Amino acid sequence: MPVITTIQDLKEIYKRRVPRMFYDYCESGSWTEQTFGDNISDFAKLRLRQRVAVDMTNRSTASKMIGQDVSMPVALAPVGMTGMQCADGEIKAARAAAAFGVPYTLSTMSICSIEDVAAATDAPFWFQLYTLTDEDYSDRLIQRVKDANCSALVITLDLQILGQRHKDLKNGLSAPPKLTAKTIANLATKWSWGLEMLGTKRRGFGNIVGHVSGISDTTSLSAWTAEQFDQALDWKKVEVLMKKWGGKVILKGILDPEDAKMAAKLGVDAIIVSNHGGRQLDGALSSIRMLPKIVEAVNGKCEVWMDGGIRSGQDILKAKALGATGTMIGRSYIYGLGAMGQAGVTKALEVMHKELETTMALCGHRDINDVTRDILYIPEDFEGRWA
Ligand code: GLV
């Protein structure tokens, strides 16, 4: 087993192990990938304030997200096609998250179905819902989420239409992959991934195939989003969905203070400051940059979390210092999953936890809940002066 000390180490193994089509799916932003890159580089602009001679014993990163105890303020984000990064990937990620004491969110676009994950895990997970035009299917989906005892619904608001990621088009992204000369040549070099895939039945979109009609190609994420996602989504429809669900709600994909205020008015439990990992509106500002303005706008009416660009425990701490009560990680755990399955997700969480805890201590804190903006040096123009 190689010595793994960073998320980047996992990414390198992941890149070697997983078919190019799925690596590219994970590692892309839309159009020029400006926002995808900014999410990461803006974290690096924030610097940390070193403090000394402070008692560092009994450190704790334990916290709460929507009232749920978490071992650190991190949840695993919904990631489409996770079960293509590694056989039964959603089940493995959910198990690793539960053992580590952080929430797992299952994507509507998952490979393992809601029922598969519920049957294979003990801890309640969260479910991410897209707003769909097929009301009957959407209602049945919400009922399935209730039957699986999911403890929160994460409604994604920033993907009514799919941002274009060039590589997915060029690769002919699908689940399972279609066998062309190009994919066969690549799959031939990914034998350990392939052997594991042969050992599972779960190789299509588990929440969709067999549950919905009227899609031209059930293997294609872009066909599904184009044909079924509700382009007419508005706040009224969000409210209707919230009522149908009746439980805890997290709204994902908020990047503007005005939208954050609208969301808070609806009485949601949390919002996630997010640009979908730079996969939707290219040219949007990074999540970490927008976070302070949104925290201010929401003014404590609901929890404010963020995702996008988190590749270390230091990034989690920086988000916390700028007012996020929680964070979500996507690619960082997918690298671990693709590299070594469940153990790789655990490794990603361990790496980030250690970075978080050590950085917190060296900044003079031993309880994550006491961390404030005080630990940061923030460049004057960090939030930007935009006309
Ligand atoms: C789906 O959520 C995607 O970003 O591909």
Side-chain angles (χ1 to χ4, degrees):
M1 159 100 121
V3 179
I4 288 158
T5 57
T6 62
I7 295 298
Q8 180 64 26
D9 288 344
L10 289 168
K11 184 176 171 184
E12 278 157 28
I13 303 171
Y14 163 59
K15 188 173 183 183
R16 287 197 295 275
R17 192 168 182 276
V18 172
R20 188 71 199 199
M21 171 187 298
F22 301 118
Y23 171 83
D24 281 348
Y25 170 67
C26 169
E27 210 40 33
S28 290
S30 53
W31 302 113
T32 69
E33 303 192 331
Q34 180 184 46
T35 302
F36 173 46
D38 284 355
N39 274 347
I40 298 170
S41 57
D42 281 348
F43 265 112
K45 292 178 187 154
L46 298 167
R47 300 299 166 85
L48 297 159
R49 185 168 162 213
Q50 173 179 308
R51 302 301 304 273
V52 295
V54 180
D55 183 355
M56 289 183 188
T57 57
N58 300 321
R59 295 183 295 281
S60 170
T61 60
S63 185
K64 282 190 192 288
M65 291 170 78
I66 54 165
Q68 187 173 327
D69 286 322
V70 290
S71 58
M72 60 178 170
V74 173
L76 301 200
V79 178
M81 306 174 96
T82 295
M84 281 290 115
Q85 304 291 358
C86 171
D88 300 330
E90 289 89 358
I91 290 173
K92 290 173 183 166
R95 284 181 176 159
F100 207 85
V102 296
Y104 173 73
T105 320
L106 184 71
S107 165
T108 298
M109 309 302 299
S110 59
I111 301 299
C112 300
S113 68
I114 303 165
E115 292 77 12
D116 289 336
V117 178
T121 56
D122 297 324
F125 55 94
W126 299 345
F127 186 76
Q128 174 268 342
L129 184 76
Y130 282 115
T131 50
L132 307 166
T133 45
D134 182 341
E135 204 174 326
D136 182 48
Y137 170 65
S138 179
D139 288 353
R140 278 186 284 122
L141 194 58
I142 292 175
Q143 190 54 50
R144 290 168 62 197
V145 178
K146 287 182 186 170
D147 293 344
N149 285 325
C150 291
S151 50
L153 193 68
V154 178
I155 305 175
T156 297
L157 298 181
D158 60 0
L159 199 147
Q160 281 152 273
I161 46 175
L162 193 68
Q164 180 164 312
R165 302 102 192 222
H166 303 306
K167 286 176 222 146
D168 292 349
L169 298 178
K170 292 185 169 137
N171 290 334
L173 176 72
S174 68
K178 294 195 175 71
L179 296 178
T180 62
K182 187 175 160 192
T183 55
I184 291 170
N186 185 246
L187 288 175
T189 66
K190 312 290 178 190
W191 55 269
S192 62
W193 176 92
L195 280 179
E196 279 181 22
M197 275 298 164
L198 288 175
T200 180
K201 292 188 298 286
R202 304 180 184 106
R203 294 193 287 262
F205 289 103
N207 292 325
I208 299 167
V209 178
H211 295 276
V212 69
S213 54
I215 318 173
S216 52
D217 180 358
T218 53
T219 68
S220 160
L221 184 133
S222 54
W224 159 249
T225 48
E227 288 162 21
Q228 298 273 328
F229 282 32
D230 187 3
Q231 295 189 17
L233 172 68
D234 59 16
W235 289 107
K236 273 207 185 79
K237 291 191 179 189
V238 175
E239 222 174 338
V240 170
L241 273 180
M242 285 172 66
K243 286 216 177 84
K244 282 184 177 170
W245 164 246
K248 294 202 171 179
V249 169
I250 301 153
L251 293 187
K252 181 169 181 290
I254 306 278
L255 203 66
D256 188 276
E258 293 309 311
D259 289 339
K261 284 185 203 162
M262 291 294 294
K265 240 195 243 162
L266 292 185
V268 300
D269 296 276
I271 59 169
I272 309 175
V273 178
S274 173
N275 48 42
H276 215 101
R279 300 162 72 78
Q280 286 296 104
L281 178 62
D282 188 37
L285 291 178
S286 69
S287 305
I288 191 66
R289 206 164 186 175
M290 289 310 295
L291 175 66
K293 280 199 181 73
I294 292 181
V295 169
E296 195 187 323
V298 166
N299 196 19
K301 291 192 184 72
C302 66
E303 290 185 29
V304 179
W305 307 344
M306 66 83 60
D307 72 13
I310 295 178
R311 301 289 183 274
S312 72
Q314 293 208 330
D315 294 340
I316 297 166
L317 191 71
K318 288 173 180 177
K320 183 87 186 144
L322 284 185
T325 49
T327 61
M328 275 197 167
I329 56 168
R331 294 182 179 93
S332 293
Y333 85 82
I334 293 294
Y335 301 157
L337 181 73
M340 336 179 205
Q342 185 174 331
V345 179
T346 303
K347 183 49 102 177
L349 291 167
E350 284 170 355
V351 164
M352 292 181 127
H353 181 260
K354 185 165 185 210
E355 290 165 342
L356 172 64
E357 200 202 38
T358 305
T359 309
M360 175 179 82
L362 294 174
C363 287
H365 286 278
R366 52 184 182 176
D367 182 346
I368 189 87
N369 300 299
D370 294 339
V371 168
T372 64
R373 211 178 164 104
D374 238 33
I375 67 159
L376 295 179
Y377 286 112
I378 307 170
E380 259 179 23
D381 62 348
F382 182 68
E383 288 179 51
R385 281 182 219 101
W386 309 94

